Amino acid sequence: MKKILTFVLVCLVAVAMCAQENLVVKYKVSSRDTDSGQPRSYDMTLVANPMKSLYYNTMSLYVDSCKSTPEGRATLREIQMKAWRVVQPDGTVTYDGRKLGLAPDKKQFLYVEKDHEKGNICVYDLKSDELYRYTEPFGEMQWEIVGDSTKTKLGYDCILAVADYHGRQWRVWFSTEIPIQDGPWKLRGLPGIILSADGGDGFIIDAVEVGKTSQPVPGMYSTNDYEMGERRKILAGHEHYINNLEGMMAAQGIMMNGDGSPANLPKYDRKRQAWETDY
């Protein structure tokens, strides 16, 4: 009897440990910069379980965690200064901007939180040079599963699904072998994890690694720094900001070209630069 009870306890502990594990998917993202329109590629991570998830850039989360406390800010600044400093032959110290990549620095501002209990998505991002956040309900994404289209991704059997969402048609590959209804960016709602997504015009998200972690789903830092807004107004305001940036700077006496000549910046092309075009 004692052996049976011991076996049951071991099983219960094992189940509890498995239940605490969260899914981790690392993605390679290809798009165009929302400011300059230049092609770019960067890494994002999704940590998810059936109740919630966070999609984020790991370096950005680290920097934000440091900046959330006075001690962390001081430590981060010390690390950056040591990485960027250059000691000249005469002993003077300068800082080389070409060495920026040698120290922790925040380049990606996007975070996407999904809360399955509340049934909503919360987006945090930098737009118009200001930090904004907004929420939207899950129900805005309606998928059509193309059951006869399948392929393998990272060893997982995947099925094709298609949805029109906020101005783009998304074609995604999801796997029911990982039955978590989640995916990169805002994409979710299928009976399995989304491992690959194509929104057209070069907006591509591809999983490069799938694993598990005993760490909890990360939380957001300094949420009060983000102004609450409405999605369409935020995106429209950002387009207006980019298209009028030169004029706004000139009004403050700041010329983008040193000789005072017009910079003639290209107009914002939402089809090529915006993840969502329906604003």
Side-chain angles (χ1 to χ4, degrees):
M1 183 66 178
K2 186 176 181 180
K3 290 183 178 180
I4 294 176
L5 288 174
T6 301
F7 176 77
V8 171
L9 287 172
V10 169
C11 290
L12 289 174
V13 170
V15 170
M17 290 178 65
C18 290
Q20 292 174 358
E21 289 188 322
N22 291 317
L23 176 70
V24 181
V25 186
K26 296 183 179 180
Y27 295 94
K28 178 68 70 175
V29 182
S30 299
S31 66
R32 289 184 178 271
D33 186 81
T34 57
D35 292 348
S36 67
Q38 295 300 311
R40 63 173 183 157
S41 179
Y42 52 97
D43 299 322
M44 297 293 284
T45 298
L46 176 75
V47 179
N49 60 42
M51 302 306 296
K52 61 182 179 179
S53 68
L54 184 69
Y55 178 71
Y56 62 97
N57 176 268
T58 53
M59 180 59 74
S60 296
L61 186 68
Y62 170 75
V63 170
D64 282 346
S65 70
C66 291
K67 290 182 175 180
S68 65
T69 66
E71 298 82 5
R73 286 194 295 273
T75 300
L76 177 63
R77 192 60 179 169
E78 181 180 359
I79 294 172
Q80 291 173 334
M81 290 297 99
K82 285 183 178 180
W84 300 337
R85 73 198 304 264
V86 177
V87 180
Q88 303 297 336
D90 62 358
T92 59
V93 176
T94 60
Y95 294 90
D96 190 345
R98 293 172 297 180
K99 299 175 70 175
L100 289 177
L102 300 180
D105 194 21
K106 183 176 179 179
K107 296 181 179 179
Q108 310 303 328
F109 288 83
L110 174 69
Y111 292 92
V112 180
E113 274 187 331
K114 303 189 188 85
D115 189 321
H116 291 261
E117 287 187 316
K118 296 180 180 178
N120 66 20
I121 300 170
C122 190
V123 177
Y124 302 81
D125 205 354
L126 179 74
K127 295 295 182 184
S128 309
D129 207 29
E130 300 286 345
L131 293 173
Y132 286 99
R133 61 188 169 100
Y134 63 87
T135 60
E136 60 186 60
F138 279 169
E140 294 185 2
M141 198 174 298
Q142 301 295 324
W143 295 102
E144 176 186 351
I145 297 177
V146 185
D148 57 351
S149 295
T150 61
K151 72 174 183 179
T152 301
K153 179 71 176 176
L154 298 178
Y156 295 95
D157 293 331
C158 295
I159 304 170
L160 177 65
V162 180
D164 291 324
Y165 179 69
H166 293 177
R168 292 192 177 277
Q169 184 181 79
W170 284 94
R171 296 171 59 84
V172 308
W173 295 92
F174 71 96
S175 177
T176 58
E177 295 179 36
I178 306 175
I180 292 181
Q181 298 185 22
D182 216 320
W185 188 52
K186 298 180 180 182
L187 305 176
R188 60 157 305 280
L190 289 161
I193 193 70
I194 296 171
L195 296 178
S196 183
D198 189 338
D201 301 307
F203 288 81
I204 299 171
I205 314 173
D206 264 326
V208 295
E209 185 179 334
V210 177
K212 292 182 179 180
T213 179
S214 59
Q215 298 298 314
V217 174
M220 285 292 300
Y221 292 95
S222 306
T223 56
N224 290 334
D225 292 346
Y226 295 80
E227 181 181 345
M228 193 70 183
E230 192 274 324
R231 180 183 68 88
R232 284 190 172 92
K233 290 182 179 179
I234 293 171
L235 298 180
H238 183 72
E239 180 172 324
H240 180 270
Y241 174 82
I242 297 299
N243 284 337
N244 295 275
L245 179 59
E246 185 174 6
M248 290 187 292
M249 292 180 66
Q252 300 176 46
I254 304 172
M255 308 308 295
M256 301 192 75
N257 288 338
D259 61 2
S261 62
N264 295 320
L265 299 175
K267 289 295 183 181
Y268 189 89
D269 184 345
R270 69 177 67 176
K271 183 178 180 182
R272 296 172 68 247
Q273 292 173 246
W275 286 83
E276 299 156 288
T277 65
D278 64 331
Y279 55 89

